[in-house]
Amino acid sequence: MSGLIGKKIGMTSIFDENGKNIPCTVIEAGPCVVTQVRTEEVDGYSALQLGFDDRTEKSATKADLGHAKKAGTSVKRKLVEFQGFDEEYKLGDTLTVEHFLEGEFVDVAGTSKGKGFQGVVKRHGFGGVGQATHGQHNRLRAPGSIGAASYPARVFKGMKMAGRMGGDTVKVQNLKVLKVVSDKNLLVVKGCVPGHKNAYVIIKK
Protein backbone atom coordinates (compact mmCIF):
# COMPACT_ATOMS: atom_id res chain seq x y z
CA MET A 1 0.00 0.00 0.00
CA SER A 2 1.42 3.36 -1.02
CA GLY A 3 1.11 6.35 1.26
CA LEU A 4 2.71 9.26 3.07
CA ILE A 5 3.86 10.27 6.54
CA GLY A 6 1.87 13.05 8.16
CA LYS A 7 1.29 15.02 11.33
CA LYS A 8 -2.08 15.36 13.06
CA ILE A 9 -2.99 19.05 13.26
CA GLY A 10 -6.32 18.71 15.05
CA MET A 11 -10.05 18.21 14.55
CA THR A 12 -12.71 20.44 13.03
CA SER A 13 -16.01 20.01 11.18
CA ILE A 14 -17.32 20.94 7.76
CA PHE A 15 -20.74 20.96 6.12
CA ASP A 16 -21.52 18.76 3.12
CA GLU A 17 -23.79 19.69 0.20
CA ASN A 18 -26.86 18.53 2.17
CA GLY A 19 -26.03 20.78 5.12
CA LYS A 20 -24.94 17.91 7.36
CA ASN A 21 -22.14 18.70 9.82
CA ILE A 22 -19.28 16.19 9.42
CA PRO A 23 -16.54 15.86 12.06
CA CYS A 24 -13.13 15.57 10.44
CA THR A 25 -9.40 15.57 11.17
CA VAL A 26 -6.82 17.84 9.54
CA ILE A 27 -3.49 16.16 8.75
CA GLU A 28 -0.33 17.78 7.42
CA ALA A 29 0.64 15.12 4.87
CA GLY A 30 4.12 15.57 3.45
CA PRO A 31 6.08 16.74 1.68
CA CYS A 32 8.01 13.48 2.05
CA VAL A 33 11.43 12.83 0.54
CA VAL A 34 12.58 9.44 -0.79
CA THR A 35 15.55 8.67 1.47
CA GLN A 36 16.13 5.07 0.34
CA VAL A 37 14.99 2.78 -2.48
CA ARG A 38 14.71 -0.93 -1.69
CA THR A 39 15.02 -3.29 -4.69
CA GLU A 40 14.47 -6.99 -5.27
CA GLU A 41 18.08 -7.50 -6.40
CA VAL A 42 19.73 -5.95 -3.34
CA ASP A 43 17.18 -6.21 -0.51
CA GLY A 44 14.89 -9.03 -1.66
CA TYR A 45 11.81 -6.78 -1.80
CA SER A 46 10.66 -3.53 -3.36
CA ALA A 47 9.87 -0.53 -1.17
CA LEU A 48 10.45 3.18 -0.72
CA GLN A 49 11.71 4.72 2.49
CA LEU A 50 10.20 8.17 2.99
CA GLY A 51 11.41 10.87 5.36
CA PHE A 52 9.28 13.60 6.90
CA ASP A 53 9.81 16.68 9.11
CA ASP A 54 13.24 18.34 9.16
CA ARG A 55 15.56 17.91 12.10
CA THR A 56 18.61 19.93 13.14
CA GLU A 57 22.01 18.50 12.25
CA LYS A 58 23.11 19.16 15.84
CA SER A 59 20.65 16.54 17.15
CA ALA A 60 21.47 13.95 14.46
CA THR A 61 23.99 11.11 14.57
CA LYS A 62 26.70 10.68 11.96
CA ALA A 63 24.76 7.72 10.55
CA ASP A 64 21.68 9.94 10.12
CA LEU A 65 23.76 12.65 8.45
CA GLY A 66 25.33 10.18 6.02
CA HIS A 67 21.97 8.62 5.21
CA ALA A 68 20.45 12.04 4.44
CA LYS A 69 23.49 13.19 2.46
CA LYS A 70 23.19 10.20 0.14
CA ALA A 71 19.61 11.25 -0.66
CA GLY A 72 20.63 14.89 -0.99
CA THR A 73 18.23 16.10 1.67
CA SER A 74 18.21 17.34 5.26
CA VAL A 75 18.02 14.96 8.22
CA LYS A 76 14.44 13.81 8.86
CA ARG A 77 12.72 13.06 12.15
CA LYS A 78 10.46 10.28 10.88
CA LEU A 79 11.42 7.50 8.43
CA VAL A 80 8.88 4.92 7.23
CA GLU A 81 8.95 2.31 4.45
CA PHE A 82 6.05 1.97 2.01
CA GLN A 83 5.35 -0.68 -0.61
CA GLY A 84 3.06 -0.68 -3.62
CA PHE A 85 3.81 2.61 -5.38
CA ASP A 86 2.60 2.58 -8.99
CA GLU A 87 5.20 5.08 -10.22
CA GLU A 88 8.97 4.81 -10.21
CA TYR A 89 10.74 7.15 -7.77
CA LYS A 90 14.42 7.93 -7.37
CA LEU A 91 16.50 8.92 -4.36
CA GLY A 92 15.73 12.51 -3.36
CA ASP A 93 12.32 12.70 -5.08
CA THR A 94 9.58 14.54 -3.19
CA LEU A 95 6.03 13.26 -2.70
CA THR A 96 3.31 15.73 -1.78
CA VAL A 97 -0.28 15.57 -0.55
CA GLU A 98 -1.39 15.45 -4.21
CA HIS A 99 -0.68 11.72 -3.97
CA PHE A 100 -4.24 11.52 -2.54
CA LEU A 101 -7.48 12.41 -4.29
CA GLU A 102 -10.71 13.77 -2.85
CA GLY A 103 -13.35 11.08 -2.39
CA GLU A 104 -10.99 8.11 -2.01
CA PHE A 105 -10.58 6.10 1.19
CA VAL A 106 -7.40 5.84 3.28
CA ASP A 107 -6.13 4.00 6.36
CA VAL A 108 -4.49 6.10 9.07
CA ALA A 109 -2.23 4.56 11.73
CA GLY A 110 -0.77 6.32 14.75
CA THR A 111 0.06 5.96 18.44
CA SER A 112 -2.96 6.46 20.69
CA LYS A 113 -2.89 8.88 23.60
CA GLY A 114 -1.30 7.42 26.74
CA LYS A 115 -3.76 7.36 29.64
CA GLY A 116 -1.55 5.86 32.34
CA PHE A 117 -2.58 3.13 34.78
CA GLN A 118 -6.37 2.73 34.65
CA GLY A 119 -8.94 0.49 36.32
CA VAL A 120 -11.23 -2.03 34.64
CA VAL A 121 -14.20 0.34 34.28
CA LYS A 122 -12.27 2.84 32.15
CA ARG A 123 -9.92 0.35 30.48
CA HIS A 124 -12.38 -2.43 29.58
CA GLY A 125 -15.80 -0.89 30.10
CA PHE A 126 -16.78 -2.93 33.17
CA GLY A 127 -20.03 -1.85 34.80
CA GLY A 128 -18.87 -2.05 38.40
CA VAL A 129 -20.91 -3.71 41.16
CA GLY A 130 -23.97 -1.73 40.10
CA GLN A 131 -25.76 -1.19 43.41
CA ALA A 132 -24.38 1.60 45.59
CA THR A 133 -26.42 0.47 48.59
CA HIS A 134 -26.38 -2.70 50.74
CA GLY A 135 -23.02 -2.08 52.27
CA GLN A 136 -21.07 -1.45 49.06
CA HIS A 137 -18.37 0.78 50.49
CA ASN A 138 -15.73 1.19 47.75
CA ARG A 139 -16.37 -1.58 45.26
CA LEU A 140 -18.34 0.30 42.59
CA ARG A 141 -15.37 0.28 40.19
CA ALA A 142 -13.75 -2.94 41.40
CA PRO A 143 -13.13 -5.88 39.02
CA GLY A 144 -14.85 -8.49 41.21
CA SER A 145 -13.80 -12.13 41.06
CA ILE A 146 -10.88 -12.87 38.75
CA GLY A 147 -10.36 -16.60 39.24
CA ALA A 148 -12.35 -19.82 39.13
CA ALA A 149 -12.24 -22.28 42.04
CA SER A 150 -9.71 -24.70 43.51
CA TYR A 151 -9.51 -25.96 39.97
CA PRO A 152 -7.83 -24.49 37.91
CA ALA A 153 -6.55 -22.59 41.00
CA ARG A 154 -5.00 -19.89 38.88
CA VAL A 155 -5.90 -16.79 36.88
CA PHE A 156 -6.01 -17.36 33.13
CA LYS A 157 -3.67 -15.36 30.89
CA GLY A 158 -5.33 -12.46 29.11
CA MET A 159 -7.78 -11.75 31.94
CA LYS A 160 -9.16 -8.23 31.64
CA MET A 161 -7.68 -6.39 34.60
CA ALA A 162 -6.39 -2.95 35.53
CA GLY A 163 -3.21 -1.81 33.82
CA ARG A 164 -1.52 0.73 31.62
CA MET A 165 -3.88 2.08 28.97
CA GLY A 166 -3.14 3.80 25.66
CA GLY A 167 0.17 4.34 23.91
CA ASP A 168 -0.63 1.56 21.41
CA THR A 169 -0.36 1.57 17.64
CA VAL A 170 -3.91 1.96 16.33
CA LYS A 171 -5.08 1.87 12.71
CA VAL A 172 -8.37 3.43 11.62
CA GLN A 173 -9.48 2.07 8.24
CA ASN A 174 -11.57 3.46 5.39
CA LEU A 175 -11.57 7.16 6.24
CA LYS A 176 -12.92 9.25 3.38
CA VAL A 177 -10.74 12.07 2.06
CA LEU A 178 -12.98 15.13 2.15
CA LYS A 179 -10.52 17.78 1.01
CA VAL A 180 -6.96 18.10 -0.30
CA VAL A 181 -5.32 21.51 0.24
CA SER A 182 -2.19 21.12 -1.88
CA ASP A 183 -0.73 24.62 -1.32
CA LYS A 184 -0.60 24.02 2.47
CA ASN A 185 0.04 20.22 2.35
CA LEU A 186 -3.18 19.55 4.26
CA LEU A 187 -5.41 16.50 4.07
CA VAL A 188 -8.90 16.59 5.60
CA VAL A 189 -10.33 13.14 6.39
CA LYS A 190 -13.71 12.18 7.80
CA GLY A 191 -13.77 11.07 11.44
CA CYS A 192 -11.00 10.88 14.01
CA VAL A 193 -7.49 9.44 13.94
CA PRO A 194 -5.37 8.18 16.86
CA GLY A 195 -2.84 10.36 18.65
CA HIS A 196 -2.48 13.80 20.19
CA LYS A 197 -2.02 17.04 18.27
CA ASN A 198 1.26 17.14 16.33
CA ALA A 199 1.59 13.35 16.59
CA TYR A 200 3.02 11.50 13.57
CA VAL A 201 0.58 9.39 11.56
CA ILE A 202 1.00 7.06 8.59
CA ILE A 203 -1.55 7.44 5.81
CA LYS A 204 -1.96 4.55 3.35
CA LYS A 205 -4.29 3.96 0.45
Side-chain angles (χ1 to χ4, degrees), residues 21-89:
N21 191 307
I22 302 173
C24 52
T25 305
V26 182
I27 302 171
E28 181 187 342
C32 296
V33 181
V34 179
T35 52
Q36 193 171 7
V37 179
R38 302 281 192 183
T39 59
E40 290 277 357
E41 298 78 36
V42 178
D43 306 289
Y45 66 100
S46 298
L48 288 180
Q49 186 192 78
L50 301 183
F52 174 69
D53 204 8
D54 289 341
R55 180 172 156 194
T56 59
E57 291 190 4
K58 182 181 177 183
S59 65
T61 62
K62 285 190 176 181
D64 293 333
L65 291 168
H67 191 68
K69 187 178 179 182
K70 191 180 287 187
T73 182
S74 57
V75 183
K76 302 297 180 183
R77 288 185 183 276
K78 186 75 172 173
L79 299 174
V80 179
E81 278 191 8
F82 293 88
Q83 294 180 326
F85 279 95
D86 296 329
E87 301 177 38
E88 291 282 332
Y89 291 99

Side-chain angles (χ1 to χ4, degrees), residues 1-9 26-36 48-54 76-83 85 94-100 107-110 184-187 198-205:
M1 296 170 70
S2 63
L4 287 179
I5 312 168
K7 186 186 286 187
K8 179 178 175 179
I9 302 299
V26 182
I27 302 171
E28 181 187 342
C32 296
V33 181
V34 179
T35 52
Q36 193 171 7
L48 288 180
Q49 186 192 78
L50 301 183
F52 174 69
D53 204 8
D54 289 341
K76 302 297 180 183
R77 288 185 183 276
K78 186 75 172 173
L79 299 174
V80 179
E81 278 191 8
F82 293 88
Q83 294 180 326
F85 279 95
T94 302
L95 282 78
T96 64
V97 73
E98 293 177 355
H99 182 69
F100 300 103
D107 297 345
V108 181
K184 294 183 178 179
N185 297 311
L186 295 180
L187 191 70
N198 294 321
Y200 291 116
V201 293
I202 298 167
I203 314 140
K204 293 186 177 182
K205 67 173 184 176

Side-chain angles (χ1 to χ4, degrees), residues 187-199:
L187 191 70
V188 181
V189 297
K190 184 178 179 181
C192 57
V193 303
H196 54 79
K197 289 180 182 178
N198 294 321

